Every structure is written in C-alpha cells, then in structure tokens.
Amino acid sequence: MTREETYTMMQKKLSRLMPDFEIKFKADLAYQINELKKERNAIILGHNYMEPALYHSIPDIVGDSLELARKAAETDKDVIVFCGVRFMAETAKILNPGKTVLLPARKAGCSLAESITAQDVRELRKKYPGVPVVTYINTYADVKAESDICCTSGNASAVVESLNTDTVIFLPDEFLAKNVARETGKRIVFPTRKPRRLKDDLLNYDIIGWTGRCEVHEKFTVEDIKNVRKQFPRVVILAHPECSPEVVEASDFSGSTSAMVRYVEKMNAPQYLLLTECSMGDNIAAANPQKEMLRLCSVRCPHMNEITLEDTLKCLQNMQYVIEVPEEIRIKALKPVQRMLEIS
Ligand code: SF4
C-alpha cells in the first residue's frame, strides 16, 4: 500500500473520530511501519485495546488474548511485534522460541500479572496438594510455568469444566474467578497471604482464588450502569468478565473483548456501552459507522496506552524491546499454554 493509499484507507475508517490532519500524521507513521514490517519479515499482532489509528492501520491480526496467542503459534514470520502488553508478548515467545518477539513499550505491564509470583503458586500447591492450577493468561511466564493449564476470559469456564475435578486453584483475578464460579455453578474461596478469616477446611470449596484485580475493570460500578440507563433507557451494556460479579449481573452481556465485538455487530440497539478499555468503543465505532457507541473514557488502561504508532516505528527501526523467557521456564510454561489452545 502506498503512503496515499494508507491515508485513504485510514480516512475511511477514522474520519468520524479524529480530524484530518491527525489522520494524515498517523497515516505517515503507519506507512513507514508497514514498509519496515516487510523489510524485517515481521508480523504485527494488535490487541483489541489499541488506540484506533494504530488498530486500523498496522496489525496483520487483531483480536483478544486467545485469538492472538493462536495466531502467534501459527506464524512463519521471523519477527513478532506485539502491540499489547508484556504478558502477551511473553506468551508469543513461549510459543515461538526461535523467533524475535518485540514489545514496542518497555513499561507496558498489567496489574493482574503483577499481583502474583511463581513462589505464591508454589505455596498454594503445597497447601492444596493435588489440586489443579488454572492461571489466567494475564500472568508472567514464571507463573504460567507453575500451572497445569492457562485460560483467557474467552475460555475460562470451558477450561475449568474440562478439568473434571471438584476443586480448582484459579489465579490471579478475583472477579474473573467469581464470574467463572457463577457460570460453572462452583463455589469459591480466597486463601491469600492476608486471608479474610478463612478456616482450614477450605477443600470443601470448588475454586480457590486469589485477589488480583484489573485496575481498569474493577473501577466500573453498578451505580455507573444505573446512571447510564437513566439517560439512555434502551442502551445495551456489555461488561468484561474482569468486572465485579455485581457489574456483570447488572449488564446485558459479558464476554471477552472479541465476544463483545461480535455481540455488538449482530445486535440492533440504539446505543451500546462497553465496560472495558475505552479504545474498544472507538475501534468498533470506526469499523461499524452505523453503531452508536457510548464511552466511559475516564477509565483507561495505562499499560495498553503505552503502545503508540511512534513507539512501534522505533520498535521496528531499533528492534526493541526484545522479549526473552529463560528456556527452563519457557519449556514449563509451554505445556499449560498448549493445553489451553488444545481445548479451546
Ligand atoms: S486492561 Fe487490565 S487486565 Fe488488561 S492489561 Fe490493562 S490492567 Fe491488565
């Protein structure tokens, strides 16, 4: 695609979202990135939370963590640029040890991934011998390496059901664990380092969770939902399963980011509100001009927002920041990731 074609393509998608001079500026960056991508024999994977100009210009594949993990496993390119956060790039490296995996911003972390360590998992295993450990994909490689199987928000319930056991250790997202428990009919308990008056007969319960939280999704409240419904009585509200069970209950639909995209595309409502990172609303609006998206943009993910077109260009120019996973950890982490991909 030429520079001019890149601009025209982006203008078609983004002209309702941003002024023309901004589109021109971003299109120039996107053009340079796409040229370098060819030179480096690279693929760009873009998470659904990327800002609209990036999302609609440079990724070869867009999607949620599960879809991107699958695509990362299939690529034959030499270089994978992950426009997402560190744990996603690590998952790509776990699946592709021979390839160069790059993350455009060094600081793109995740509050969930930070909430638990490999030592925490080992201690839980000691406390509950024989109980299988499910870890959310939003964890670092050393935590995955201590697990039996991984899951994403798109397949968490299916992964838990697939284990056919009475008790599961589900880490580290408290709200996702509660939402999975509700969906699967299982009960839950939280044996954290600061237990909330727990008794020792915890194995009566079905899911043992952890109190990690997504710093974005924990902010949405039932009050927000009531206020929006008061002003827009026919709005359809979609909540990510990292939101609290009360918020999920008060919403019309809950699912992974890609499940939300599909749901909005097939529904016919006057307005939609996504309770997730605000860029998603922009991205859906850009792809579906007939859909009216409301946005609660005071709630943003600071980590996803670290990834910009400017940094992605630098990433390909300087081949930075290279993601490495020590081989003994990678081999151990590969099993739970592959096991997840096999069942979903
Ligand atoms: S939105 Fe939440 S779960 Fe996703 S990267 Fe940001 S902090 Fe982590």
Side-chain angles (χ1 to χ4, degrees):
M1 211 183 279
T2 64
R3 203 178 288 262
E4 199 47 39
E5 285 166 346
T6 307
Y7 163 66
T8 310
M9 177 273 290
M10 287 175 72
Q11 199 196 30
K12 247 189 223 158
K13 293 259 167 72
L14 303 169
S15 60
R16 290 178 330 116
L17 298 178
M18 57 180 72
D20 199 51
F21 68 88
E22 173 87 347
I23 299 175
K24 261 196 189 119
F25 174 74
K26 302 259 182 181
D28 187 54
L29 290 168
Y31 170 74
Q32 293 179 62
I33 292 167
N34 285 334
E35 287 299 293
L36 253 182
K37 183 168 68 174
K38 277 185 253 162
E39 257 175 57
R40 302 280 195 207
N41 193 27
I43 183 172
I44 298 185
L45 305 179
H47 189 265
N48 288 329
Y49 290 162
M50 291 296 102
E51 58 110 353
L54 186 156
Y55 182 88
H56 288 289
S57 62
I58 57 167
D60 300 282
I61 314 279
V62 290
D64 60 16
S65 307
L66 180 60
E67 290 161 342
L68 296 180
R70 270 206 202 103
K71 294 297 169 189
E74 287 165 10
T75 185
D76 58 357
K77 300 284 185 190
D78 298 326
V79 177
I80 299 171
V81 175
F82 218 115
C83 290
V85 292
R86 176 169 290 269
F87 72 80
M88 297 176 180
E90 275 193 358
T91 307
K93 186 67 185 178
I94 289 166
L95 290 161
N96 294 282
K99 297 186 194 298
T100 303
V101 178
L102 303 175
L103 183 67
R106 210 199 295 263
K107 284 195 301 185
C110 169
S111 64
L112 277 171
E114 304 295 336
S115 73
I116 191 158
T117 66
Q119 183 58 26
D120 292 330
V121 186
R122 286 192 287 270
E123 280 171 22
L124 280 168
R125 274 206 189 275
K126 233 184 273 165
K127 192 163 180 189
Y128 303 106
V131 178
V133 176
V134 179
T135 50
Y136 194 26
I137 197 138
N138 299 35
T139 47
Y140 292 124
D142 57 343
V143 168
K144 289 187 175 80
E146 300 296 330
S147 322
D148 294 294
I149 185 163
C150 291
C151 73
T152 69
S153 56
N155 63 15
S157 294
V159 165
V160 167
E161 301 276 20
S162 78
L163 294 172
N164 272 327
T165 105
D166 287 341
T167 311
V168 172
I169 299 173
F170 187 100
L171 308 168
D173 185 340
E174 172 182 357
F175 288 158
L176 181 62
K178 286 180 173 166
N179 287 321
V180 169
R182 215 173 54 137
E183 223 174 291
T184 56
K186 296 187 185 261
R187 287 175 294 169
I188 191 157
V189 72
F190 292 93
T192 66
R193 276 170 299 185
K194 289 185 192 149
R196 304 159 179 172
R197 298 183 40 146
L198 299 171
K199 293 193 183 121
D200 262 331
D201 57 349
L202 298 176
L203 285 177
N204 288 337
Y205 293 88
D206 295 310
I207 294 185
I208 298 157
W210 192 254
T211 51
R213 292 211 186 153
C214 163
E215 66 189 285
V216 178
H217 295 105
E218 72 171 346
K219 294 204 178 86
F220 297 113
T221 64
V222 173
E223 203 51 35
D224 293 336
I225 295 180
K226 281 187 190 151
N227 285 333
V228 173
R229 290 204 196 278
K230 213 185 284 170
Q231 193 181 346
F232 303 95
R234 293 175 60 214
V235 66
V236 168
I237 298 182
L238 298 86
H240 192 279
E242 288 165 15
C243 295
S244 75
E246 296 75 25
V247 164
V248 168
E249 177 77 18
S251 304
D252 300 298
F253 175 80
S254 176
S256 71
T257 53
S258 289
M260 288 191 207
V261 174
R262 289 192 291 271
Y263 189 85
V264 171
E265 281 175 351
K266 72 167 201 275
M267 288 291 288
N268 192 13
Q271 297 96 15
Y272 304 85
L273 173 69
L274 308 182
L275 299 179
T276 192
E277 158 57 41
C278 167
S279 294
M280 275 264 305
D282 287 335
N283 291 335
I284 296 181
N288 303 273
Q290 75 287 7
K291 306 274 178 188
E292 191 181 331
M293 307 301 297
L294 307 177
R295 300 166 181 74
L296 294 183
C297 284
S298 51
V299 182
R300 306 300 307 253
C301 174
H303 312 288
M304 290 286 183
N305 280 289
E306 284 284 325
I307 309 292
T308 61
L309 282 168
E310 287 84 345
D311 283 342
T312 309
L313 179 59
K314 276 194 212 134
C315 156
L316 276 165
Q317 283 167 338
N318 306 330
M319 297 297 279
Q320 68 190 23
Y321 296 93
V322 178
I323 298 295
E324 299 288 4
V325 176
E327 188 58 8
E328 71 279 9
I329 291 180
R330 190 195 71 79
I331 289 171
K332 279 176 77 186
L334 180 62
K335 265 196 214 152
V337 172
Q338 270 179 335
R339 200 171 159 199
M340 169 191 80
L341 293 175
E342 277 157 22
I343 72 150
S344 48

